[in-house]
Amino acid sequence: MAEFKEINSPQDLEGILEESRLRKIIIFKHSTACPTSARAWQEVQDFIQESSDEILVVMIKVIESRSISNQLAETLGVKHQSPQVLLLSNRQILWHTSHQTVTQTNIKKALEGEISPFNQAF
C-alpha cells in the first residue's frame, strides 16, 4: 500500500517538494465540497490500496488549505484545478490531470511512463 499524508502548511509543502528529489510523489488536490472531487478521491484511494509502499500520495484540501494549494500552483507553474493529480519527481511535474481524468488507471499509466508528460489522459 502506498504511503499517504495530508499537508496543510508551507513547511509541509516544502518538505514534500524536497522529498520528490528522492522518490516520485503523487499530489492530489481535493475539494471537499465537490462531487467530482469526491469521485476522484475514491479513485486515488483505490490507487493507494493497490500500490507499493515506495509511492507517497499527498493530499491538499483546496478549501481548507487554499494558501498551500496556491503556493503549489505558483511554485510549480501549473494552473490550479480541482480535483487535480500531479506526479512529481525532482521538484518537477512529470504529469498532471484533472476532473474526470483523475483515475486509478491514469495514475498508474503516468507512473509507468505510458502517458506523455503534461498530456491529459482522456
Side-chain angles (χ1 to χ4, degrees), residues 14-102:
E14 184 56 36
I16 292 302
L17 293 173
E18 279 304 306
E19 189 166 347
S20 77
R21 294 183 187 279
L22 305 174
R23 63 177 168 166
K24 291 180 180 175
I25 296 178
I26 299 288
I27 296 180
F28 175 59
K29 293 172 65 177
H30 177 46
S31 171
T32 54
C34 171
T36 300
S37 198
R39 183 215 46 84
W41 172 226
Q42 185 59 58
E43 292 282 337
V44 172
Q45 288 177 3
D46 292 345
F47 170 79
I48 291 168
Q49 291 296 320
E50 294 185 16
S51 296
S52 77
D53 59 1
E54 297 172 9
I55 300 296
L56 172 60
V57 178
V58 175
M59 177 193 289
I60 300 172
K61 291 181 179 171
V62 298
I63 295 171
E64 294 83 350
S65 298
R66 175 75 63 196
S67 64
I68 304 308
S69 176
N70 291 343
Q71 180 183 350
L72 177 70
E74 184 177 319
T75 299
L76 297 177
V78 65
K79 179 183 172 189
H80 163 76
Q81 297 183 60
S82 77
Q84 183 176 38
V85 170
L86 303 100
L87 172 59
L88 299 181
S89 180
N90 202 26
R91 295 184 69 105
Q92 301 292 315
I93 299 172
L94 300 179
W95 171 82
H96 66 93
T97 197
S98 66
H99 297 87
Q100 299 301 330
T101 57
V102 174

Side-chain angles (χ1 to χ4, degrees), residues 58 83 116 120:
V58 175
S116 299
Q120 297 265 342

